[in-house]
Amino acid sequence: MLINIANVLAGLIGAGIIVIGVRAFWAPQAAAGFGIPDTPTEDRSFQAWLTVKAVRDIAAGLFIFILLAGATPHLLGWFMLAAACIPVGDALIVLRSNGPKATAYGVHGATAAVMLLISVLLLVA
């Protein structure tokens, strides 16, 4: 039962990051919601960097689905544990950039916490 819940949560994380990546790929100005103040989303050079991030976000989501489809819950758990470093890093970037603490903790921190919970559920089951 716990594995099923963890798999569903992992799938939601995977789908969510794919949506975020697709959105940033097609509409880079959407990245303003990341939490970094004064993000120059209209700058073409910055848009190129956002595209790189978007492709990586899409790939990260696909990795989750690949592991859901073909790996053991234990392996998915280790992957989710390692991948939780991404939203932790994002939160630190927002905080270091004097961005809103609500975004750092409420978006990025909450995502990291959910990913850690998923990891625990998969690794102990």
Side-chain angles (χ1 to χ4, degrees):
M1 176 71 173
L2 289 179
I3 289 177
N4 291 337
I5 292 169
N7 282 340
V8 168
L9 291 173
L12 290 172
I13 294 284
I17 198 64
I18 288 171
V19 168
I20 288 169
V22 168
R23 186 170 173 226
F25 188 81
W26 293 112
Q29 60 276 15
F34 184 82
I36 299 173
D38 304 318
T39 304
T41 56
E42 299 304 319
D43 180 273
R44 294 188 50 74
S45 295
F46 188 72
Q47 287 179 1
W49 283 106
L50 291 175
T51 303
V52 170
K53 182 189 177 313
V55 170
R56 290 189 173 136
D57 284 348
I58 294 167
L62 291 174
F63 293 154
I64 292 171
F65 285 110
I66 290 167
L67 290 170
L68 277 168
T72 65
H74 201 86
L75 181 59
L76 177 60
W78 283 112
F79 176 82
M80 294 300 287
L81 181 62
C85 294
I86 296 169
V88 168
D90 292 346
L92 292 173
I93 290 166
V94 171
L95 291 171
R96 188 175 66 187
S97 302
N98 294 319
K101 290 181 181 176
T103 301
Y105 298 120
V107 175
H108 304 298
T111 301
V114 169
M115 292 176 76
L116 290 172
L117 173 66
I118 294 167
S119 300
V120 169
L121 291 175
L122 292 166
L123 291 171
V124 299

